[in-house]
Amino acid sequence: MNEQVARRVVLVRAIESADTGHQVLSEDDRKYASRSARELAAWQAADSKAALTQEHFLEQRSEQIIKRLAERTPAFAGFQRRGLGLPGIWAALPILALFAGALLDRVADPHRVDLLSAPLLFIIGWNLLVYLILLVWALIPSRKTGWAGQGLLRRLSVGKAVTPRKLPSAMATGITNFMTEWAVLSEPLTRARLSRTVHLSAAAFALGAVLSLYARGLLTQYVAGWESTFLDARQVHTLLSWVFAPVLFLFSFLQGFSLADIESLRFASGAAGAVQSSAGGQRWVHLYGATILLLVVLPRLILAGYQGWRARRLARRFPLELEHPYFRKLADSIGAGTPAMLRVLPYSFTLDEARDRGLWTVAAMALGAQARVLLRPTVPYGEEPKEALGDTLSDEAGVTVTAALFSLAATPEKENHGAFLDHLVRNSRRGVAVLLDESSMTERGAGQAGLEARVNERIALWRQFCSFHGTAATVVNLVDPARHPIELGAGLALPELR
């Protein structure tokens, strides 16, 4: 699916997940949207003579739901019309850079071409340094490279994170969650667009400086020369020979220079030196112009073209992970895709037959009726997670969700439960869910005063503990799963899958 479709799908998912009480979208609304989307997607597939896919279904379903929400809530319709991010900046920055480059030469003498022009040498040197940094980044085996911070990327992808007023609380929560999720999901696309714009702006800035140099030469007689307190003619000749070597090698029609030429172009107080310098002004303008075009403008345009190609590819095929429980359950409703698998890793917790059946029910509620459960052996209390699990986490073939299972009756301990969670988080590519089974605690405390308060207190403690270790907890009751229903993945707390 493309970027626009993915954005609508993620928005609908965020709203449905936040609307656990069905205040915004009733059960009938959701079933009607799914039924209509299934029919429309089937017609679309028939017209294109292709098979019905999950992407077609999600696209039609998100359109149905968003249309209905916009009709009911004018504030949501306004949010839909408002574009996300700062789209105008992609065109504005290169244009501003072109004018800035054209004004750069105003800091120097307008009647003089300085062989040691600081602005022009800075443009060349800075861009060569940038190419070196990009090469180093390309060789570093790390995903966290780049100069743009998360705050800038979020502003570029979703703009100012302000939720519209006069929205139902569930919808407002869903929109807030959507903006957070979309900033994360669209980060690769935003980085590609930002890189493209930066490269275009750098090329435009350098091009503006060259164009200004030539335009000013049409109406002004340039006097070429150099002066320096610390450099002599031989050192200046060596420096300029290195700077202009690429264009003198590639373009034979450009006139070179000798050490004697550099000696003669040193600014002197006499009139003869000025006349001799003005005669060679055109040569140095061509040398600097060709060098900037070759070393700055052309490479930057190539880099901008590559990043633009990446951005277009990501926008056409947006990398939305459809293995999320929400999408898997919707796919199950139309018979698309393969059955989901919930891999469960109990910690110091042995399941009897009744709880095993309850675990399958929880998997069906979270991942669809066809979901399967892969129950791994219990990790004993206090045992080193790496030794107990071995290579279990490396085999993720067919696994949709990995879940750690704890008993709510246990008190979380950093050196045991925390170490277990940390190991799972580090070694599970798709993140880890945490299931807290309350059945043992409620069975032992049945009939006792204050049981509900103790259960709620223990749930809050576990949720805070899981949050500290980079996961989120979902409370279940494996003896009576209906006590904590899980709809469309909304109740199964997971890190965002990408």
Side-chain angles (χ1 to χ4, degrees), residues 48 61 82 109 122 141 226 234 323 343 403 422 461 471:
S48 59
R61 188 176 186 275
R82 190 188 79 185
D109 189 336
F122 175 79
W226 65 277
R234 185 176 300 277
E323 292 298 314
R343 178 171 58 183
D422 290 341
L461 176 63
T471 61

Side-chain angles (χ1 to χ4, degrees), residues 414-460:
K414 181 179 180 181
E415 61 274 12
N416 294 306
H417 305 84
F420 180 68
L421 283 178
D422 290 341
H423 180 77
L424 294 182
V425 170
R426 285 194 306 267
N427 294 279
S428 182
R429 181 177 62 87
R430 290 181 174 173
V432 177
V434 175
L435 300 178
L436 299 175
D437 177 35
E438 68 171 14
S439 60
S440 298
M441 186 173 184
T442 55
E443 283 180 352
R444 289 204 302 264
Q448 298 180 6
L451 173 62
E452 183 178 354
R454 291 198 303 274
V455 169
N456 291 334
E457 182 180 347
R458 184 63 58 86
I459 290 174

Side-chain angles (χ1 to χ4, degrees), residues 259-343:
L259 178 59
D261 293 332
I262 299 299
E263 286 276 12
S264 65
L265 290 175
R266 186 160 193 163
F267 282 117
S269 56
V275 173
Q276 187 179 15
S277 297
S278 63
Q282 182 178 351
R283 171 174 59 176
W284 298 100
V285 171
H286 290 331
L287 285 173
Y288 263 115
T291 299
I292 291 177
L293 290 175
L294 179 65
L295 299 183
V296 180
V297 177
L298 181 60
R300 287 289 194 167
L301 290 178
I302 293 174
L303 290 170
Y306 169 70
Q307 294 295 341
W309 170 79
R310 285 189 64 236
R312 288 191 298 272
R313 186 185 64 174
L314 289 171
R316 287 195 303 266
R317 298 292 303 171
F318 192 86
L320 182 62
E321 177 59 71
L322 298 182
E323 292 298 314
H324 191 279
Y326 171 88
F327 299 127
R328 292 303 298 260
K329 189 164 185 178
L330 287 176
D332 181 67
S333 69
I334 62 171
T338 57
M341 179 181 291
L342 175 64
R343 178 171 58 183

Side-chain angles (χ1 to χ4, degrees), residues 10 13-14 17 143 177-178 180-186 318-327 428-432 470-472 492-498:
V10 174
R13 181 184 70 178
S17 298
R143 298 169 62 184
N177 295 341
F178 158 72
T180 301
E181 293 175 6
W182 185 252
V184 175
L185 291 171
S186 63
F318 192 86
L320 182 62
E321 177 59 71
L322 298 182
E323 292 298 314
H324 191 279
Y326 171 88
F327 299 127
S428 182
R429 181 177 62 87
R430 290 181 174 173
V432 177
T471 61
L492 185 58
L494 279 169
E496 179 57 56
L497 300 181
R498 300 178 56 189

Side-chain angles (χ1 to χ4, degrees), residues 189-307:
L189 176 58
T190 305
R191 283 189 182 276
R193 286 173 172 163
L194 180 59
S195 297
R196 176 199 61 192
T197 303
V198 169
H199 289 310
L200 281 177
S201 300
F205 183 83
L207 184 62
V210 172
L211 292 177
S212 176
L213 196 64
Y214 277 96
R216 190 157 46 88
L218 293 175
L219 304 175
T220 303
Q221 175 65 55
Y222 281 134
V223 176
W226 65 277
E227 59 184 357
S228 174
T229 302
F230 301 105
L231 301 178
D232 57 25
R234 185 176 300 277
Q235 292 170 323
V236 173
H237 178 265
T238 301
L239 173 62
L240 296 180
S241 296
W242 279 99
V243 171
F244 299 133
V247 294
L248 290 175
F249 175 77
L250 293 175
F251 308 121
S252 58
F253 58 86
L254 290 177
Q255 182 182 356
F257 51 90
S258 63
L259 178 59
D261 293 332
I262 299 299
E263 286 276 12
S264 65
L265 290 175
R266 186 160 193 163
F267 282 117
S269 56
V275 173
Q276 187 179 15
S277 297
S278 63
Q282 182 178 351
R283 171 174 59 176
W284 298 100
V285 171
H286 290 331
L287 285 173
Y288 263 115
T291 299
I292 291 177
L293 290 175
L294 179 65
L295 299 183
V296 180
V297 177
L298 181 60
R300 287 289 194 167
L301 290 178
I302 293 174
L303 290 170
Y306 169 70
Q307 294 295 341

